[in-house]
Amino acid sequence: MLTTREELDDRLPGAARAWLDEALAEAAHAADRPDTGTPDRPDTGNPPSGTGTGNPPSGTGTGNPPWETRFASAGRHCGPEHADAVRALLLIEARPAAPDLARLYAQGTAAERRAVLLTLHRLGLGSAALPLVEDALRTNDTRLVAAAVGPYAAAHLDAHGWRHAILKCLFTEVPVEAVAALADRARGDAELARMLHDFAAERTAAGRPVPADLRTVLALTATPAAAPTEES
């Protein structure tokens, strides 16, 4: 769970709090002046690379709003232990459109991408940010994989994508406790159970240990799915 603003105020020194106040004011200013020329969804299934295409948001001489510079330097000003929380607050305040968020993610360091992934469920983007989750799940960076399987993935990944996200966690040894809504989505999932059995068989045939977390998930799939109610 990310640190709240109140908790940050208690933990940050005065200079860092002042910096954060200014950064959040810049993010709020950007939210009040959205770029209406930007489409609501990314153009492709992959995040843009480089400087991206389309109409850049107004702001600094680079074409990016000032709060994005703050986003990048959060760890330097507030400490790396608070960087995720500070970046999350900036994203929530700025509420960038999906293409701008995709550009920020594509241009960011692993730490910056992690912060984006951790905040997706707070940004009200619907399924428009799924390409960022899918990109993270294609990596072997355990920080990104763990951040990608949070509440946003639980809400928006389809069954096929979610099952493969579980396998990715097992393959990269990301603890399945990082997976949001694991019990709810795994319950009664026979196809996931089949995939887990196949994964375990492949590991055993290769002389590699079967992750203990696999048994945890497999046990969840054995739990019967909830019976539909009259309303459903």
Side-chain angles (χ1 to χ4, degrees):
M1 181 179 295
L2 294 171
T3 307
T4 66
R5 175 64 195 280
E6 291 74 19
E7 290 170 333
L8 280 174
D9 284 343
D10 289 338
R11 299 174 187 178
L12 293 175
R17 289 197 304 272
W19 181 92
L20 180 56
D21 287 341
E22 293 173 359
L24 290 173
E26 289 174 357
H29 179 71
D32 288 339
R33 299 178 62 185
D35 180 7
T36 55
T38 303
D40 289 336
R41 293 179 59 89
D43 292 335
T44 69
N46 295 315
S49 60
T51 57
T53 59
N55 298 324
S58 60
T60 66
T62 63
N64 299 338
W67 74 267
E68 293 188 13
T69 301
R70 304 274 194 172
F71 182 87
S73 61
R76 185 165 70 253
H77 290 278
C78 297
E81 70 275 22
H82 301 306
D84 281 344
V86 169
R87 288 176 175 136
L89 289 174
L90 289 171
L91 289 170
I92 293 166
E93 197 68 48
R95 305 197 75 80
D100 297 322
L101 188 67
R103 172 181 51 75
L104 189 69
Y105 175 92
Q107 294 175 347
T109 64
E112 291 162 31
R113 292 183 178 198
R114 168 185 157 85
V116 169
L117 294 166
L118 289 172
T119 318
L120 289 178
H121 65 294
R122 302 283 302 276
L123 301 180
L125 294 171
S127 62
L130 269 177
L132 308 188
V133 171
E134 292 163 351
D135 176 81
L137 291 172
R138 285 191 292 269
T139 75
N140 287 321
D141 187 326
T142 56
R143 296 169 299 173
L144 298 184
V145 173
V149 292
Y152 184 85
H156 296 289
L157 272 180
D158 63 17
H160 175 79
W162 188 82
R163 290 171 186 138
H164 281 276
I166 298 301
L167 290 181
K168 185 71 174 193
C169 288
L170 295 173
F171 178 78
T172 57
E173 299 183 353
V174 169
V176 295
E177 65 186 23
V179 181
L182 174 63
D184 291 338
R185 291 207 58 168
R187 183 180 295 116
D189 191 335
E191 177 60 17
L192 177 59
R194 182 195 66 77
M195 294 169 69
L196 293 172
H197 281 297
D198 288 348
F199 181 78
E202 291 172 3
R203 300 275 292 197
T204 300
R208 303 180 66 185
V210 176
D213 275 353
L214 185 146
R215 299 178 181 86
T216 299
V217 182
L218 192 59
L220 292 172
T221 66
T223 304
T229 63
E230 292 183 4
E231 289 77 9
S232 61

